[in-house]
Each structure stands twice: as structure tokens, then as C-alpha cells.
Amino acid sequence: MCGIVGYIGQREAYPIVIKGLKRLEYRGYDSAGVVLYDGSDLKLSKTKGKVADLEEKAQKEISTTGNIGMGHTRWATHGVPNDVNSHPHYSNSGNLVIVHNGIIENYEPLKKELIKRGYTFKSDTDTEVLVNLIEDVKKQDNLKLGKAVQVALNQVVGAYAIAVFDKERPREIVAARLGSPLAIGIGKDEFFIASDASPFIEYTSNAIYLEDEEMAIIRLHKPMKIRKIKDDSLVDPYVQELQMNLEQIEKGGYDHFMMKEIYEQPAVIKDTYRGRLHANEGLIKMAGVEDNLQKFLNADRILIIACGTSWHAGLVAEYIFEEFARIPVEVEYASEFRYRNPIIRENDVVIAISQSGETADTLAAIKLAKEHGAFVFGVCNVVGSSISRETHAGAYTHAGPEIGVASTKAFTTQITVLTLIALRLAQAKGTLSNSDFHRYLQELEVIPEKVEEALATNDTAKAIAEIYKDAPNCLYLGRGYNFPVALEGALKLKEISYIHAEGYPAAEMKHGPIALIDEQMPVVVIAQKQEHYDKIVSNIQEIKSRSGKIIAVVTSGDVQVRELADHVIEIPKTVDALSPLLTTIPLQLLSYHIAVMRGCNVDQPRNLAKSVTVE
């Protein structure tokens, strides 16, 4: 949940670290810190608040020279957000300094033991315990830093990505990971360390992603060594060429990353199906599916595991897989799946969905499914991520970096990939007629153009936002394929505007939520001219009879709902199964404009981080 940046080389470290922290601020932004080594002394500055606050403070209180540096942007777990709990943290001697993403679960007994040994602690963090544990191991056994880190990490329980520097070894940084991502950029006589590759993309296109329970000893003018933490065995590193570019991680003229990413959806949906969808030939080509086609076709059921927005995409996929391929589907919250005793069979296919590919609960659920012999297929966005490595096979969404905490393009590209898989299975099983199969392919091919049309509703969404920006509550209703879209629309509003919102199947309104309806309650209804349309109209009439305010997302040319609704947003017509790719667009825009009008931090909403890499 936190962001780590490190640099060792010939350049000035400070500007690299600060710029890197700004790019990682989506991972955590309640406090930030930087430490620099100028060849003789460590210089530390840290503060509660954002990286901009750190930058202002650091310029006043420390010299920012030095060719070695580490930085951290925090999402608090142990200890409230304040200057003292901010990272980096020193050891008691002041020789060791650490930055850490993750949770050390057994920090309390470790802390008690260290206190008995004479150590004192300034912060409430588990991280300060870890750096002093490393120092204690190093001192007791007279070890070099790398070995001390290894021995200490074998004593901790939890998750971590760390970078540690020791003044006594001034040309070296030790990095390690378990459960939290860590990338090492490799330049000419220089190295970069970061939670993802965005902080160093302009300096190098070569990176190594540490695997779980691996540590790297990074030394100037010497080959980097990677070892297994458990048994000290050497690892032959795999150097990857990065797929992102600098333009992808800049705002490109938009006020916020979220708006940029909303408007990228036509292009990234096309990128997602490019090379996979061949509508004119009536073909879908996906290597991860083709190589494992029999596993899908022989599956007793498909289990979809995910969290947050990815879970909503999984709900859409449940409708699509069952409709097209006639395979039973269950959709599980990964966080619940891993902590009960689920029934998992060898003939089950488990599809794990995650934008980052690092979601801790989803990773744990994958491991559980594999232990029970299930075939696990990953759907994620980040190349080289933990989920892409942990699953048996998978498909990337090709959405490009998503910086805004509230997922937008991740949702639509996940649905696109899952739709392609369902269609391919339907073709192989013969559960769709040839004419219907071709119709779906052709309609999917033109979805990017229709998303472009849906984006043209921006001004309408903005005008509606002005009216309802101060509403304390909001309901979202949908049916069929668009019930998950109602859930996703409500989540977007909650995440970035802090308005309480709930999504429901429209038919469930009478089973409780209708009690909330009055003239103060805006109700967003997804009312597409498709199956269940008459039922949706009846739901709208029930709301109107109780003085509720209706914001309806309708099919272009709709007359009946327009007469009933207080506000309508028109989007193009498409087949029912693909409608979530369009209906979600105005809901994203509506949430965005309400949040901006309320003065909320759209890209960095309070208490949230982009990638949930801790439990």
C-alpha cells in the first residue's frame, strides 16, 4: 500500500527520488520521507502529508546532495499518520535506515525482545522494529548487511518490500520482498528501486522484478546478487524490457489522471482485443486460452476471485459465461474465499482478476486454489506482476498504467478480456449459433467507437453533477448485465466524492431500499432498451410515486423513460451482453464531476490506495 523509491549511482539522487515518489503517490499519500547519503552523513526529512509537503520541508531542513537516496510515500497501517511514524526509519545506532511496504505481523513480540536488549523506539510502526532487528542481528553475529537482512527476515511473519542502507557499507543497498512488489531498474553504473517501474522509466527500460522471498544486494560497480531468503541460494535474475513509456504516466493535459483514464477507454479497449479479435474471419485467438482450451471445456464450473472493481467485472463475467458458454460460474470476494473452507475441485477453473496483479487477498486465494489442484487463469494489467507469475496461464488487459485510485479503464478492459474468453468457449462448445457468434464479434469490434459516443455525454453528466453534488446519499439500480454496473457506479461515487451510495438489483428495491426514497434521494437507474426494460420502467414509476429524483442512463432515442425521469443520459445501443462497456461511462463521468465540485482529491481519495498489497 506504500510506495518505495531508491537510487544508487552517479546522478544526484534527490530529484530522482522525489519525482519517483510523486509517481507512486497513488500507492499512499498520508505521509512521505526521503533519506540521502552524501558520502559521509545520512540526511533525513519526512513529514505528514503529501510529497509536495515533503519537497517543501526537505528543501528547508537538509542538503539535498548525494548519489544514494531512498524515499517512501505511506499508507498507514501501524501507527497514525504523523511525522514520527513516517518512513524512512533509522536504527538505534543511526547507521541503518529502511523504507518498507507491508506489515510485520509479529512485530510486538519482536519489539518486546528488542526492548529487553536495550533498544528504544520513537515511532509506533512495525518498520522501526524491523530495522532494529536487522541491526541487532548484524551486531550480535558480526554480519554484513545482506546476511543480517536475510537472517532477520527469516524471523518475521508478514509481508514486506524493503530497501535498507548501512553507513558502514556506503556503496550498497539491500532490497527484499515477500507479498509486496519490488522492481529494480538497471542502468549503466546505476540502479533504481521502486514499487513499480514508473519512477525510473525515463532512465532505463531494463528491470528485474524480485520474486517472493528473494533479496537483492545492489552494489556500485559490481554485479548485483539475488538470493533466496530461506536457503541463501543464488538466483539467476531475469531482466525484462519495460512495456510502458513516459507519456503513459503523465496527465497529458487533463486536470486529473482519472479523467485522462476515462477518456483513454476507446483506445485501450481496442488495444485489449487487438490481435485477439478477428471479426471478419470469425476468430478469437488468445494463446492462454487456446493452450488450455480443454481445461476450460472440461470445467465443472468457473470460480472467479477478485476484489473491489475487479469483483464487479467478475460479476459481469458471470452473466456472460453462463449465457454464452453455459458453464456454471461463482464469483467470490478473494478476501472471503481465502478465509473460509471453500470447496475446490480439480475440474474447477479459477479466474483471478486484478488490475495491479499484486492484490494480497487475490494472491493468497490463488495459492489456495492451486493447493487444491484447480487450474488458475489470471486476468491482470501489469506485465510481470505477481499474479501473472503465480497463475498457470492468463491474459493481460493492455490498459496501460492506471494511476487514478478509482479504477475506470481497468474495469472496461477486464470485461473485454472476459467477454473474449466466454465467446471463444461458446464457439468451441457450440453453445452459440454461428450467426450470433459473428454478431457479437462484430459488435465488440465497434464498441470503442460507441464508447467514444458515450464520452460525449460529459457535459450532461457535469450539469447533473451540479444539481446533486451535495446529496448525502444516492441509490444505483440495474438489472441483468447492468446490476454489476450499478454496484460499480455506486463504488465510484463513494470512493472519490465520499457520498454514501449503494447499488442494487432494481427488483430488490422493494425489499428494503424503497424505504429510503423521498424528494432528497437521487436514484441512478440504468434503463437500457433491452431485456427487462418494462420491469425497469415499473421500478422508475415506483420511485417517482414516492417523489424520488431519477437520473436515467437510457438507450439513444428512448421515449418512455425520458417522460418519467428527471434527467436522462443517452448512450448508443448495443447488444445486452456488451452494454456494461457503455453504461459505466456516464457513471464514471458523473462521479468525477461531483467529486471535483465537492473539492475532493479525485486521484488520491482519502484512506484509499491503488494497490491493496496488505491484508
Side-chain angles (χ1 to χ4, degrees):
M1 300 284 267
C2 306
I4 289 172
V5 181
Y7 175 78
I8 181 169
Q10 308 305 316
R11 304 174 197 255
E12 287 293 322
Y14 177 77
I16 294 170
V17 171
I18 289 295
K19 187 187 295 184
L21 290 179
K22 289 177 179 177
R23 290 182 183 161
L24 290 180
E25 202 166 12
Y26 69 90
R27 299 182 63 89
Y29 36 84
D30 56 42
S31 54
V34 61
V35 65
L36 302 165
Y37 182 68
D38 63 4
S40 58
D41 290 316
L42 286 168
K43 298 167 292 183
L44 175 69
S45 182
K46 55 184 185 174
T47 185
K48 177 184 176 181
K50 300 189 180 298
V51 177
D53 300 314
L54 169 66
E55 193 172 17
E56 182 179 348
K57 186 178 181 185
Q59 293 284 356
K60 294 176 181 176
E61 69 180 14
I62 64 171
S63 166
T64 57
T65 60
N67 304 122
I68 297 175
M70 302 190 307
H72 188 272
T73 181
R74 183 171 185 246
W75 189 87
T77 52
H78 292 87
V80 299
N82 60 29
D83 290 7
V84 174
N85 288 332
S86 304
H87 297 210
H89 287 285
Y90 282 135
S91 64
N92 273 195
S93 71
N95 287 335
L96 271 60
V97 63
I98 191 172
V99 288
H100 168 221
N101 173 24
I103 291 179
I104 306 303
E105 294 176 7
N106 63 334
Y107 83 100
E108 285 190 5
L110 291 171
K111 185 174 185 178
K112 288 177 182 177
E113 182 61 33
L114 288 168
I115 289 172
K116 287 180 184 178
R117 292 175 181 268
Y119 287 84
T120 59
F121 295 89
K122 298 177 180 178
S123 76
D124 301 317
T125 68
D126 52 345
T127 304
E128 192 183 8
V129 175
L130 179 55
V131 72
N132 280 298
L133 176 63
I134 295 168
E135 176 160 283
D136 188 64
V137 168
K138 181 175 180 286
K139 181 171 62 177
Q140 295 290 330
D141 297 327
N142 194 27
L143 299 176
K144 293 180 180 178
L145 178 64
K147 190 64 178 177
V149 169
Q150 181 189 0
V151 173
L153 291 178
N154 275 306
Q155 298 180 35
V156 304
V157 176
Y160 53 79
I162 62 170
V164 190
F165 177 78
D166 180 0
K167 280 203 301 185
E168 294 180 351
R169 297 185 66 81
R171 301 167 70 83
E172 176 180 294
I173 294 177
V174 175
R177 72 154 285 183
L178 173 62
S180 295
L182 204 60
I184 301 171
I186 304 169
K188 185 177 180 181
D189 297 325
E190 62 182 353
F191 296 92
F192 307 82
I193 303 164
S195 297
D196 66 41
S198 61
F200 54 78
I201 186 64
E202 69 241 62
Y203 304 109
T204 180
S205 60
N206 296 318
I208 292 170
Y209 291 88
L210 290 184
E211 301 281 356
D212 273 351
E213 297 186 327
E214 287 183 355
M215 58 179 285
I217 300 173
I218 303 164
R219 297 176 292 184
L220 278 178
H221 311 305
K222 289 187 179 181
M224 177 172 56
K225 286 186 178 180
I226 298 179
R227 294 184 177 276
K228 288 287 186 183
I229 293 168
K230 290 292 186 188
D231 61 16
D232 200 36
S233 58
L234 280 170
V235 175
D236 188 19
Y238 172 57
V239 180
Q240 296 191 33
E241 185 174 351
L242 298 173
Q243 301 298 310
M244 70 173 71
N245 58 56
L246 190 59
E247 184 180 349
Q248 290 177 306
I249 57 174
E250 301 293 349
K251 289 181 183 175
Y254 289 89
D255 290 336
H256 300 93
F257 280 110
M258 183 180 178
M259 195 57 145
K260 174 177 180 273
E261 289 156 7
I262 289 171
Y263 272 84
E264 285 176 342
Q265 286 174 109
V268 296
I269 290 172
K270 193 171 289 187
D271 288 342
T272 297
Y273 71 56
R274 181 178 286 113
R276 295 166 167 170
L277 172 64
H278 304 270
N280 291 337
E281 302 169 50
L283 295 174
I284 291 173
K285 295 179 180 179
M286 301 181 72
V289 176
E290 293 303 317
D291 293 346
N292 300 280
L293 189 58
Q294 287 307 311
K295 293 185 183 296
F296 280 100
L297 297 180
N298 295 334
D300 293 329
R301 63 175 176 167
I302 292 174
L303 279 167
I304 296 177
I305 52 176
C307 299
T309 288
S310 297
W311 186 75
H312 296 155
L315 290 177
V316 175
E318 179 181 18
Y319 285 88
I320 294 171
F321 275 102
E322 292 192 343
E323 176 74 20
F324 291 177
R326 307 305 297 157
I327 301 173
V329 177
E330 296 176 26
V331 185
E332 297 265 7
Y333 281 115
S335 54
E336 289 295 313
F337 181 82
R338 63 177 293 201
Y339 284 118
R340 59 184 182 82
N341 188 20
I343 298 171
I344 308 169
R345 298 181 290 262
E346 290 186 1
N347 275 358
D348 288 335
V349 168
V350 174
I351 299 178
I353 312 171
S354 167
Q355 188 283 135
S356 67
E358 302 292 348
T359 309
D361 285 321
T362 306
L363 274 166
I366 287 169
K367 292 173 183 176
L368 178 63
K370 288 171 69 177
E371 287 169 6
H372 285 76
F375 171 71
V376 184
F377 188 93
V379 174
C380 65
N381 185 35
V382 180
V383 176
S385 60
S386 297
I387 284 176
S388 70
R389 299 194 302 272
E390 191 68 38
T391 48
H392 295 114
Y396 288 116
T397 56
H398 301 303
E402 188 178 64
I403 307 300
V405 167
S407 279
T408 51
K409 62 179 181 175
F411 181 64
T412 49
T413 54
Q414 286 167 352
I415 291 173
T416 302
V417 162
L418 294 161
T419 301
L420 288 168
I421 297 170
L423 285 168
R424 178 66 187 99
L425 298 183
Q427 181 190 37
K429 292 186 69 177
T431 49
L432 269 183
S433 69
N434 196 46
S435 60
D436 281 344
F437 178 74
H438 279 81
R439 180 166 62 92
Y440 282 120
L441 295 194
Q442 290 164 358
E443 188 61 26
L444 184 56
E445 189 174 49
V446 299
I447 278 291
E449 287 74 22
K450 293 189 176 184
V451 172
E452 199 80 62
E453 291 181 53
L455 288 167
T457 64
N458 181 55
D459 288 346
T460 303
K462 188 174 182 180
I464 296 170
E466 183 66 50
I467 298 169
Y468 296 105
K469 67 181 187 298
D470 297 318
N473 301 285
C474 189
L475 282 178
Y476 286 71
L477 303 178
R479 280 180 178 262
Y481 291 102
N482 284 300
F483 158 52
V485 177
L487 295 176
E488 174 63 11
L491 177 62
K492 286 288 130 334
L493 190 67
K494 279 184 282 195
E495 283 181 312
I496 63 172
S497 74
Y498 320 138
I499 293 174
H500 173 253
E502 297 294 336
Y504 280 92
E508 288 296 303
M509 184 185 64
K510 294 188 289 291
H511 296 272
I514 199 167
L516 299 172
I517 302 297
D518 61 18
E519 64 277 2
Q520 303 300 317
M521 174 67 79
V523 183
V524 178
V525 183
I526 304 166
Q528 295 298 281
K529 196 68 178 285
Q530 53 193 33
E531 194 177 1
H532 311 307
Y533 178 76
D534 290 340
K535 302 288 187 184
I536 284 282
V537 171
S538 296
N539 295 138
I540 292 172
Q541 290 169 330
E542 291 163 354
I543 297 165
K544 289 300 293 181
S545 69
R546 290 159 177 83
S547 302
K549 302 297 183 184
I550 300 292
I551 303 164
V553 179
V554 303
T555 305
S556 181
D558 182 284
V559 175
Q560 196 170 357
V561 172
R562 178 178 285 278
E563 291 177 352
L564 295 169
D566 297 275
H567 315 277
V568 296
I569 303 174
E570 289 193 359
I571 60 172
K573 180 174 177 56
T574 188
V575 293
D576 289 7
L578 301 183
S579 62
L581 294 168
L582 302 181
T583 54
T584 194
I585 302 299
L587 306 189
Q588 293 171 354
L589 293 168
L590 183 64
S591 298
Y592 170 83
H593 287 299
I594 287 175
V596 170
M597 291 172 186
R598 288 169 64 90
C600 301
N601 190 329
V602 172
D603 288 334
Q604 299 169 1
R606 68 187 182 203
N607 302 332
L608 295 177
K610 182 66 178 174
S611 180
V612 184
T613 57
V614 296
E615 296 180 41

